[in-house]
Amino acid sequence: MISKNELNVILDKILYSIEEGVHVIDNEGNTIIYNDDMGNLEELQSEEVIGRKLLAVFPSLNEETSTLLKVLRTEVPIINQSQTYINYQGKEITTINSTFPLYYNDKKIGALEVAKNITKIKKLSDQIQQLQSQLMNPHLPPKEQNRYTFDDLIGKEHAFTQAVTVARKASKTASSVLIYGETGTGKEIFAQSIHNESSRRDKPFIGQNCAALPENLLEGILFGTIRGSFTGAVDRPGIFEQANGGTILLDEIDSMDQNLQAKLLRVLQENYIRRIGGTKDIPVDVRIIATTNQDPRQLIDEHRLRKDLFYRLSVLNITIPPLRERPEDIDRLADEFLHRYNQRFQKEVWLISDSVKEIFKKYHWPGNVRELENMIEGALNLIQGEHVIKEEHLSSYLLNYYRNRSQEDHGLQYHKSHESLDSMDLTDTIEKLEKKMIQKALVMNHRNITRTAKVLNIKRQALQYKIKKYGLQ
């Protein structure tokens, strides 16, 4: 049985080990607990805060704007609320706070706040909004705002040309579009091409990555804010207002919190938004193009994408095949990138050697077209006074993958040529094949579990189990 003293030691260790700031006040508003991470966040020492009145340490706050004092007064928890304030040193800080009343024997004894520092993210959010506002400048040529068209979509492989055909048809309508493709397949190029071919081409196109910001800040960027809606909030239109009449690209839509997905669904159904803290409904006319790099059905099964939002977004569906399923397009794309970077770097590299083309065809391209483009750009950076891309100009990880693949293929052929019918146990053969596939995928993805699971089209947990089963740790 743990003693009370031992329990206090354990709790104290936990308090000063977690990465979030913890601040506790008593019923009089005096600080009684203030951990090191909260001190680092606010650039204060615990002895400067503990035992002092909250408002004496943070003079920019008051009874209404302090989430701790508000919860102490109302006894209603506040979950994941953004707060911007000036600390004792005069520095502006932005946090995401969850605040709870504390009770002992059914009697209120204080309030607890857990805070995560998002000051840098808040500054980035403000910069994004300022840049987006600048992009709405009517004097800025549309080509500078969104530069891609269908001419930039290069490929002859059937599944790819089919995706382009659907995209061209989508440009003739105003319906929502859901684009599915792995990282680096060109989802934004498709989205911009649809916009630039549509009747909205002279209106704004704004892209927003839904994975880049916390829910509170993303909601403000999408729908705008009203001064006083939360501490530090200002009157600012969101991208739905800024893009009115145009198109919004919501990249990685599955990264959006479920609550925010519900609010987005309502906007799509009713065609109006309400700024955070506002009471006025603002009509908007915006086309939504959403993207995801994972199978939408899988995202729905994993409760990462609302089913009703999926149905609303996927009026038109576009699936972009990965580069490994477009072997005939690899040479074509490589030649295009070679031409592009010759012009950019003012070089005269005429062609790609046959051995490099062979490596390209055998490589799995987890980064897809973007990785191929980066590979060509990197090669041209290394070439001095030559006119051909050779193996020596390629990245070491690509060459290592090719050599390992060649050795494994040689070993597999040797094994097949010496295999007898007596040893053909079906279960054993399947397991050996499965092990080889996992080994190859791990090497190819530099042992990144998430990417390897995606390539093999199995769940992450299943992959971890098989790695342990086959001793591939």
Side-chain angles (χ1 to χ4, degrees):
M1 186 71 177
I2 297 177
S3 68
K4 186 175 181 180
N5 287 338
E6 289 173 327
L7 183 60
N8 286 335
V9 170
I10 293 172
L11 292 175
D12 192 59
K13 191 72 173 177
I14 294 172
L15 181 65
Y16 288 92
S17 298
I18 62 175
E19 295 183 354
E20 282 75 22
V22 177
H23 194 165
V24 180
I25 61 172
D26 61 18
N27 282 335
E28 284 70 49
N30 298 307
T31 297
I32 56 175
I33 294 177
Y34 189 84
N35 75 345
D36 289 343
D37 271 84
M38 186 66 88
N40 292 335
L41 188 158
E42 296 172 335
E43 296 185 358
L44 292 169
Q45 300 295 321
S46 58
E47 53 266 24
E48 297 178 85
V49 183
I50 292 177
R52 297 187 63 190
K53 291 283 188 183
L54 180 71
L55 296 183
V57 181
F58 303 102
S60 68
L61 297 176
N62 57 43
E63 296 279 348
E64 288 299 320
T65 58
S66 166
T67 46
L68 268 170
L69 294 178
K70 187 174 183 178
V71 168
L72 186 67
R73 185 182 73 255
T74 63
E75 301 186 39
V76 177
I78 296 174
I79 309 297
N80 290 335
Q81 177 166 309
S82 175
Q83 183 178 40
T84 301
Y85 58 96
I86 307 297
N87 72 1
Y88 194 61
Q89 306 294 331
K91 183 176 180 180
E92 184 178 276
I93 294 168
T94 302
T95 57
I96 293 289
N97 303 337
S98 290
T99 315
F100 310 90
L102 297 175
Y103 299 93
Y104 181 74
N105 288 337
D106 296 329
K107 181 181 178 182
K108 183 184 68 175
I109 59 171
L112 157 73
E113 185 159 272
V114 179
K116 186 174 183 66
N117 187 5
I118 60 165
T119 303
K120 291 182 179 179
I121 298 176
K122 175 65 163 57
K123 288 181 179 178
L124 176 62
S125 166
D126 291 341
Q127 291 171 359
I128 289 171
Q129 289 179 303
Q130 289 171 5
L131 288 171
Q132 287 170 339
S133 296
Q134 292 171 11
L135 286 173
M136 298 308 103
N137 184 347
H139 303 294
L140 189 65
K143 190 67 176 175
E144 291 184 28
Q145 296 183 32
N146 37 85
R147 60 188 185 278
Y148 294 117
T149 67
F150 283 114
D151 291 338
D152 296 298
L153 294 172
I154 300 164
K156 299 292 186 183
E157 191 276 330
H158 176 68
F160 181 79
T161 56
Q162 200 170 33
V164 174
T165 299
V166 175
R168 286 186 181 277
K169 291 179 179 178
S171 68
K172 308 304 179 186
T173 77
S175 298
S176 299
V177 181
L178 181 63
I179 303 175
Y180 162 49
E182 294 179 8
T183 299
T185 50
K187 295 185 290 294
E188 183 163 356
I189 300 177
F190 270 82
Q192 287 194 19
S193 299
I194 292 170
H195 171 79
N196 287 328
E197 192 81 7
S198 74
S199 59
R200 297 172 180 261
R201 67 178 69 89
D202 296 324
K203 297 294 184 178
F205 175 96
I206 301 180
Q208 176 61 51
N209 188 301
C210 300
L213 297 167
E215 177 193 358
N216 301 66
L217 297 184
L218 180 58
E219 183 177 359
I221 285 178
L222 292 177
F223 306 132
T225 56
I226 294 292
R227 182 183 298 275
S229 56
F230 56 85
T231 309
V234 297
D235 287 325
R236 178 177 288 155
I239 62 176
F240 270 86
E241 289 180 70
Q242 295 173 6
N244 195 36
T247 304
I248 291 178
L249 167 63
L250 295 177
D251 193 18
E252 297 188 66
I253 186 71
D254 51 290
S255 298
M256 186 182 290
D257 181 87
Q258 292 274 315
N259 292 329
L260 192 51
Q261 288 186 29
K263 294 177 182 178
L264 174 63
L265 177 63
R266 188 181 67 246
V267 171
L268 296 179
Q269 290 172 336
E270 300 176 1
N271 294 316
Y272 70 79
I273 59 100
R274 185 179 295 172
R275 293 186 186 182
I276 296 177
T279 57
K280 179 183 176 183
D281 292 334
I282 303 172
V284 289
D285 171 24
V286 173
R287 182 189 200 166
I288 297 295
I289 300 178
T291 73
T292 174
N293 55 25
Q294 295 187 46
D295 187 336
R297 297 290 180 180
Q298 180 183 344
L299 295 173
I300 292 171
D301 291 342
E302 295 175 356
H303 305 290
R304 292 164 56 195
L305 179 64
R306 289 177 61 106
K307 188 181 295 186
D308 47 6
L309 180 60
F310 166 73
Y311 292 137
R312 187 65 184 82
L313 290 173
S314 62
V315 177
L316 292 165
N317 279 284
I318 298 173
T319 299
I320 308 174
L323 186 57
R324 64 181 173 275
E325 295 177 7
R326 302 169 53 193
E328 295 179 3
D329 288 339
I330 292 175
D331 285 352
R332 193 173 288 111
L333 285 162
D335 289 340
E336 168 63 25
F337 296 141
L338 179 61
H339 174 71
R340 181 181 303 175
Y341 287 101
N342 264 324
Q343 289 186 322
R344 185 173 299 180
F345 298 152
Q346 295 184 333
K347 294 196 174 186
E348 293 185 2
V349 180
W350 301 327
L351 50 87
I352 301 169
S353 70
D354 289 341
S355 62
V356 169
K357 288 184 176 182
E358 182 65 23
I359 291 172
F360 282 177
K361 286 185 178 179
K362 288 194 173 182
Y363 186 52
H364 203 62
W365 298 109
N368 291 290
V369 178
R370 186 186 297 137
E371 186 180 8
L372 175 59
E373 180 178 2
N374 292 342
M375 194 70 65
I376 299 296
E377 181 183 359
L380 262 68
N381 273 285
L382 295 177
I383 291 178
Q384 298 293 335
E386 298 179 74
H387 304 292
V388 180
I389 295 180
K390 303 174 184 176
E391 291 185 33
E392 64 198 66
H393 303 129
L394 300 181
S395 298
S396 57
Y397 78 84
L398 177 60
L399 293 174
N400 289 336
Y401 170 83
Y402 175 70
R403 289 165 186 151
N404 291 335
R405 170 80 179 268
S406 297
Q407 290 173 0
E408 289 174 2
D409 288 347
H410 177 74
L412 188 60
Q413 289 171 3
Y414 177 85
H415 174 75
K416 285 181 177 178
S417 66
H418 290 77
E419 190 177 55
S420 67
L421 290 174
D422 295 336
S423 64
M424 291 191 65
D425 178 274
L426 181 60
T427 302
D428 184 55
T429 302
I430 290 173
E431 288 185 347
K432 285 179 180 178
L433 179 60
E434 183 177 59
K435 181 179 178 181
K436 282 186 177 295
M437 288 180 66
I438 292 172
Q439 282 177 314
K440 285 184 181 180
L442 285 169
V443 170
M444 178 184 66
N445 292 287
H446 312 293
R447 299 196 68 82
N448 182 293
I449 300 298
T450 301
R451 288 203 300 265
T452 303
K454 188 183 297 183
V455 166
L456 294 171
N457 197 26
I458 61 175
K459 290 185 180 294
R460 196 174 187 275
Q461 295 86 343
L463 176 60
Q464 289 173 323
Y465 166 76
K466 292 178 186 296
I467 288 173
K468 186 176 180 181
K469 174 183 176 182
Y470 297 124
L472 301 176
Q473 295 95 322

